[in-house]
Amino acid sequence: TITVPGEGQNMVESGAVKNVVTFADEVIVDITIKNPSLQAKKRTEVDILKTIHEKVYEKAKITVNVKVEAPAKPKTNVIKGKPIPGIQNIVAVASGKGGVGK
């Protein structure tokens, strides 16, 4: 009944739930999400706690382990070409008043 933040599928269908361990009134849930934001992690944890307390056992002691597997971001502003020996950084300066409209 719980959807993964930003994905739309429920946590079981999407494969986000990796492990569930129960022992008496103790429940441990291991889950992996792709959204690295703190808000998504907290919402995931709260949704799991709420659902187990409402639908399974209201006095359950629940531990939720949220792991984030964010896809690697492509590098932006990468300078392509042959490196210049001894040069690490290049700074480009431009002016907006180059005789436009005169």
Side-chain angles (χ1 to χ4, degrees):
T1 61
I2 310 167
T3 58
V4 180
E7 292 186 30
Q9 287 184 307
N10 77 47
M11 290 181 177
V12 176
E13 281 177 354
S14 69
V17 175
K18 300 298 180 194
N19 195 21
V20 178
V21 178
T22 58
F23 183 75
D25 63 347
E26 204 173 320
V27 180
I28 301 169
V29 179
D30 294 331
I31 187 158
T32 303
I33 61 174
K34 292 182 176 81
N35 188 336
S37 74
L38 181 62
Q39 179 183 358
K41 288 165 42 177
K42 278 291 171 199
R43 185 179 145 222
T44 299
E45 187 176 344
V46 169
D47 286 351
I48 291 170
L49 293 171
K50 219 164 66 173
T51 302
I52 292 173
H53 282 144
E54 286 174 6
K55 298 183 184 276
V56 182
Y57 181 57
E58 66 180 275
K59 294 181 182 173
K61 297 175 191 123
I62 304 164
T63 304
V64 179
N65 300 318
V66 179
K67 182 180 173 192
V68 176
E69 274 186 8
K73 292 182 181 177
K75 290 184 179 181
T76 55
N77 299 332
V78 177
I79 297 175
K80 295 177 182 169
K82 295 179 184 170
I84 302 170
I87 306 288
Q88 282 187 320
N89 299 308
I90 298 172
V91 178
V93 179
S95 173
K97 295 187 178 188
V100 177
K102 291 185 180 178

